[in-house]
Amino acid sequence: TPTHTHTLSLFSSSRSFFFQGCQVMLYPGAFNMTTGPAHWELLLRARAVDNQMYVAAVSPARDESASYVAYGHSTAVNPWGDVVAKLGPEAGLQVLDIDLDQVASIRQSIPVQTQARTDLYTLTATDKLLPK
């Protein structure tokens, strides 16, 4: 049975990839009909803005007859937090052009990566991934 995508919910997991220079993050997910409407898009937008990167999450289509009913709504968000692609609950396909220059521009204008105070805190599970 699919479970809540905890990785999407955790700031620290995506942050370690941000510090490695990741520009696009892709999450598989299967939020249910309780967490999906409340948190799916919110968490995607938060991870995109937090880490100044494109974030996309793919979900199984909704099947009301299944033992686990997924929310669906595969979604892509740009580094500014704008939803740039979104499917409904049904199966579908959408192609999206990703502008990596936008990632670079945002990271240059808001230099979160170079201003991070990693001398004051660490991400315990991913310390080896943080800059020195």
Side-chain angles (χ1 to χ4, degrees):
T1 301
T3 58
H4 185 296
T5 308
H6 294 286
T7 305
L8 176 58
S9 304
L10 299 174
F11 170 78
S12 59
S13 64
S14 59
R15 197 61 164 182
S16 64
F17 288 105
F18 165 77
F19 279 118
Q20 294 179 76
C22 179
Q23 297 177 302
V24 179
M25 202 64 169
L26 179 62
Y27 292 97
F31 280 40
N32 62 33
M33 294 303 295
T34 301
T35 58
H39 299 144
W40 180 253
E41 185 178 310
L42 174 69
L43 288 170
L44 292 172
R45 294 181 73 202
R47 294 301 75 87
V49 171
D50 288 344
N51 296 296
Q52 301 173 315
M53 66 174 71
Y54 279 87
V55 172
V58 294
S59 173
R62 187 177 310 157
D63 179 357
E64 299 286 345
S65 65
S67 61
Y68 182 91
V69 180
Y71 174 62
H73 293 86
S74 295
T75 304
V77 179
N78 72 16
W80 201 246
D82 299 320
V83 173
V84 293
K86 186 171 188 173
L87 296 175
E90 66 283 338
L93 173 70
Q94 186 162 359
V95 177
L96 172 68
D97 289 323
I98 292 176
D99 181 3
L100 295 180
D101 290 336
Q102 183 185 32
V103 175
S105 175
I106 288 172
R107 288 182 177 180
Q108 183 176 8
S109 65
I110 307 171
V112 174
Q113 195 170 28
T114 59
Q115 294 176 351
R117 293 295 310 267
T118 56
D119 58 318
L120 298 178
Y121 68 92
T122 59
L123 301 176
T124 307
T126 57
D127 282 346
K128 64 182 178 282
L129 301 176
L130 294 174
K132 298 294 180 205

